[in-house]
């Protein structure tokens, strides 16, 4: 799709929704930096004034956002969890600034909570063993611990909306490790 990444800064939110909802996006190519720019432009427009959107428009925004991230991952690969983290942080920001809405999937606090727990790169036991001596570890081990810390921050951000979640005890156990992580 020629021009997919052109003039991203000129699009309003509806323009982004139309662009990333187009069927061609599923087959689009592009470099990681182009997809990062596209995701950044989309979230910038979304965060500029999120409150006045109707539930119907929010559902369209959510579908377009999911399509953009899926196309980015297909085209550029996972990029070290870049797309996952962008999705989790956007959802956390929306929950904090707009609040949960039961009929809008983008505002379901269980999604970022569960996805963050599921994406943890190591067990709690391994994290607890490695965290206190992180300065002695290999770079990949340190990066894994840093990813744990990032994911715990997302869970902490959405926690006020999921206190009745069945995985709440798991979240609490992980949060006890947060202070020891690099």
């Amino acid at each position: 799709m020629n021009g997919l990444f052109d003039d991203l800064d000129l699009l309003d939110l509806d323009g982004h929704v139309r662009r990333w909802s187009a069927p061609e996006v599923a087959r689009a190519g592009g470099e990681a930096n182009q997809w990062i720019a596209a995701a950044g432009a989309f979230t910038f427009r979304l965060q500029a004034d999120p409150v006045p959107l109707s539930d119907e428009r929010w559902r369209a925004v959510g579908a377009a956002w999911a399509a953009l991230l899926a196309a980015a991952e297909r085209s550029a690969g996972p990029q070290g969890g870049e797309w996952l983290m962008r999705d989790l942080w956007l959802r956390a920001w929306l929950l904090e600034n707009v609040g949960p809405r039961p009929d809008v999937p983008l505002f379901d606090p269980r999604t970022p909570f569960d996805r963050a727990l599921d994406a943890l790169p190591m067990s709690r036991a391994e994290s607890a063993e490695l965290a206190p001596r992180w300065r002695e570890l290999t770079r990949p081990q340190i990066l894994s611990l840093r990813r744990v810390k990032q994911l715990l921050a997302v869970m902490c951000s959405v926690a006020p909306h999921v206190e009745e979640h069945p995985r709440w005890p798991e979240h609490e156990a992980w949060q006890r490790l947060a202070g020891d992580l690099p």
Side-chain angles (χ1 to χ4, degrees):
M1 181 173 175
N2 289 337
L4 183 64
F5 301 104
D6 294 345
D7 301 321
L8 291 172
D9 59 327
L10 302 178
L11 293 173
D12 60 6
L13 183 57
D14 288 334
H16 278 285
V17 170
R18 280 189 303 276
R19 181 173 288 196
W20 303 115
S21 296
E24 308 85 68
V25 170
R27 298 182 306 278
E31 301 294 325
N33 61 340
Q34 292 173 308
W35 289 106
I36 288 170
F42 193 138
T43 56
F44 174 77
R45 294 292 184 228
L46 185 56
Q47 292 172 330
D49 191 18
V51 179
L53 300 181
S54 68
D55 285 357
E56 181 181 331
R57 284 185 69 203
W58 274 120
R59 282 189 281 279
V61 166
W65 176 244
L68 184 155
L69 294 177
E73 188 155 350
R74 273 191 305 276
S75 178
Q79 297 298 310
E82 175 77 22
W83 318 120
L84 171 67
M85 293 308 296
R86 283 183 179 273
D87 185 47
L88 295 178
W89 277 118
L90 176 62
R91 288 171 182 269
W93 186 91
L94 289 168
L95 286 166
E96 185 176 323
N97 289 277
V98 180
R101 291 189 187 172
D103 296 334
V104 180
L106 194 58
F107 292 99
D108 182 352
R110 296 170 302 185
T111 300
F113 192 79
D114 284 334
R115 289 185 71 205
L117 279 169
D118 292 342
L120 289 163
M122 59 179 64
S123 70
R124 225 175 23 254
E126 185 180 6
S127 295
E129 179 188 332
L130 295 177
R133 55 186 189 85
W134 69 267
R135 287 178 179 86
E136 306 164 8
L137 303 177
T138 65
R139 186 174 193 283
Q141 289 173 311
I142 294 169
L143 292 176
S144 288
L145 287 173
R146 299 234 355 118
R147 179 50 52 104
V148 168
K149 188 173 187 173
Q150 292 169 340
L151 292 165
L152 293 180
V154 169
M155 285 187 285
C156 197
S157 179
V158 301
H161 305 288
V162 291
E163 291 175 345
E164 302 296 320
H165 194 287
R167 295 178 77 182
W168 185 258
E170 188 180 351
H171 157 74
E172 288 183 312
W174 272 105
Q175 290 300 330
R176 286 191 287 276
L177 295 174
D180 292 334
L181 296 167

